[in-house]
Amino acid sequence: MMAGALIQAASERRILLIDGFIASSALLAAEHLAPGVAQYAIFAHHSVEPGHAHLLKLLNAEPLLDMGMRLGEGSGAALAYPLLQSACSFINEMASFSDVGISEQNS
């Protein structure tokens, strides 16, 4: 069911925030069923669960966080989400040099 949800979300061009071993397993299944799904994935964290490193390698993934967590319940995604929100805010709200009247020649 999770693999199907990931396939549907990717078909709608949504970001997939992948948390830990179980979600990575579902993404691997989804990628085999619908190649290209994984390009929408952002990996929240590197779990210390034994198989997670292997899954990340298979998916050519580099997680945002590596904090030695094995908590489950989406805890890695809960920690990574504010980081992604901040990144989006920087991109969308940060003033450019031209916005604040700084020219490239004034260096």
Side-chain angles (χ1 to χ4, degrees):
M1 190 164 73
M2 186 182 274
L6 293 170
I7 291 168
Q8 180 62 40
S11 76
E12 297 172 9
R13 300 172 48 93
R14 296 180 184 271
I15 296 297
L16 311 174
L17 185 54
I18 305 299
D19 178 76
F21 180 79
I22 294 170
S24 296
S25 298
L27 180 64
L28 184 62
E31 181 65 22
H32 281 284
L33 292 169
V37 169
Q39 71 183 348
Y40 293 94
I42 295 175
F43 293 81
H45 75 107
H46 183 187
S47 169
V48 296
E49 292 297 329
H52 196 225
H54 185 64
L55 283 169
L56 293 172
K57 187 174 182 180
L58 288 172
L59 291 162
N60 195 30
E62 189 173 326
L64 296 173
L65 305 169
D66 188 351
M67 301 170 66
M69 294 188 304
R70 186 187 301 184
L71 303 173
E73 291 81 40
S75 53
L79 291 172
Y81 189 75
L83 181 63
L84 295 171
Q85 284 181 309
S86 295
C88 290
S89 292
F90 283 131
I91 290 169
N92 293 324
E93 298 172 19
M94 187 170 175
S96 68
F97 285 147
S98 63
D99 290 339
V100 293
I102 300 172
S103 70
E104 292 182 27
Q105 295 177 353
N106 290 343
S107 51

